């Protein structure tokens, strides 16, 4: 019994496939986009009023949420998620040309530096910010009696630790994007 190949419509990313993008790079881009998810879930839990270990003297104490302050946390989360998803553009067709549905400009390719410069600068900034945050968190935590401790601190740390990978992964993707665009146009 032979099986027919899957129709193009059922093949994942069939029309989004690009020459020179290995499955390994696609997995790295997916991983980069997912590194933001745990910290976003943690932040949304605070916005929903779930106690996450912050004491009453902290702006993140659950007694302030939900409320108007929750909007700020939700907006920061949405921004972070959108930036994380942009990592996928470095391995997808929409990261090289405007989608066809964009009036008058759809289908036009843009210069590689339009993606490489923000990705490279973002990779450097993210790596610096997250490493600095990881190194100084103990000092911040020790100086703030309302910071999480115990299990709440472990949950916080596990939620933010994946962000340490975001910058380096974005850097690898930016270099691969630049090389691919120089080779394949």
């Amino acid at each position: 019994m032979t099986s027919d190949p899957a129709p193009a419509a059922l093949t994942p990313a069939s029309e989004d496939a690009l020459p020179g993008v290995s499955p390994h790079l696609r997995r790295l881009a997916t991983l980069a986009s997912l590194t933001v998810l745990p910290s976003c879930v943690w932040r949304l839990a605070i916005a929903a009023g779930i106690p996450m270990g912050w004491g009453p003297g902290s702006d993140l104490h659950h007694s302030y949420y939900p409320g108007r302050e929750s909007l700020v946390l939700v907006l920061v989360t949405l921004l972070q998620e959108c930036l994380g998803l942009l990592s996928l553009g470095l391995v997808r067709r929409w990261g090289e040309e405007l989608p066809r549905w964009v009036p008058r400009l759809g289908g036009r390719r843009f210069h590689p530096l339009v993606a490489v410069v923000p990705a490279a600068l973002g990779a450097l900034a993210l790596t610096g910010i997250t490493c600095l945050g990881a190194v100084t968190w103990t000092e911040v935590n020790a100086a703030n009696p309302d910071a999480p401790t115990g299990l709440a601190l472990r949950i916080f740390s596990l939620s933010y630790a994946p962000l340490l990978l975001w910058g380096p992964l974005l850097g690898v993707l930016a270099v691969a994007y630049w090389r691919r665009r120089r080779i394949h146009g």
Side-chain angles (χ1 to χ4, degrees), residues 3 8-9 13 17 24 63 73 78 94-95 100 104 136 143 145 153 160 165:
S3 64
H24 177 69
S63 64
L73 295 178
L78 288 173
W94 57 266
R100 299 226 180 263
R104 296 189 193 165
T136 61
L153 176 59
Y160 276 83
L165 296 174

Side-chain angles (χ1 to χ4, degrees), residues 126-143 153 156-157 160-161 163-164:
L126 286 167
T127 301
I129 291 167
T130 56
C131 287
L132 181 64
V135 169
T136 61
W137 172 247
T138 303
E139 296 168 23
V140 170
N141 192 31
L153 176 59
F156 173 84
S157 298
Y160 276 83
L163 290 179
L164 290 167

Side-chain angles (χ1 to χ4, degrees), residues 30-164:
T30 301
L31 181 60
S33 69
L34 291 174
T35 60
V36 302
L37 192 57
S39 61
C40 288
V41 170
W42 182 87
R43 199 176 301 109
L44 289 175
I46 289 178
I50 298 171
M52 297 302 284
W54 293 92
S58 169
D59 290 342
L60 295 175
H61 188 260
H62 65 274
S63 64
Y64 295 114
Y65 303 95
R68 288 191 342 208
E69 294 82 4
S70 297
L71 182 61
V72 172
L73 295 178
V74 170
L75 291 175
V76 168
T77 297
L78 288 173
L79 176 64
Q80 185 178 351
E81 278 295 326
C82 288
L83 291 173
L85 290 172
L86 283 176
S87 302
L88 296 173
L90 297 170
V91 298
R92 304 283 172 109
R93 186 162 311 282
W94 57 266
E96 293 185 7
E97 66 182 42
L98 291 170
R100 299 226 180 263
W101 54 264
V102 175
R104 296 189 193 165
L105 300 175
R108 289 190 185 178
R109 292 174 64 82
F110 44 84
H111 195 279
L113 291 178
V114 170
V116 170
V117 170
L121 292 175
L124 288 172
L126 286 167
T127 301
I129 291 167
T130 56
C131 287
L132 181 64
V135 169
T136 61
W137 172 247
T138 303
E139 296 168 23
V140 170
N141 192 31
N144 184 353
D146 292 310
T149 58
L151 179 60
L153 176 59
R154 283 192 214 77
I155 292 170
F156 173 84
S157 298
L158 288 173
S159 298
Y160 276 83
L163 290 179
L164 290 167

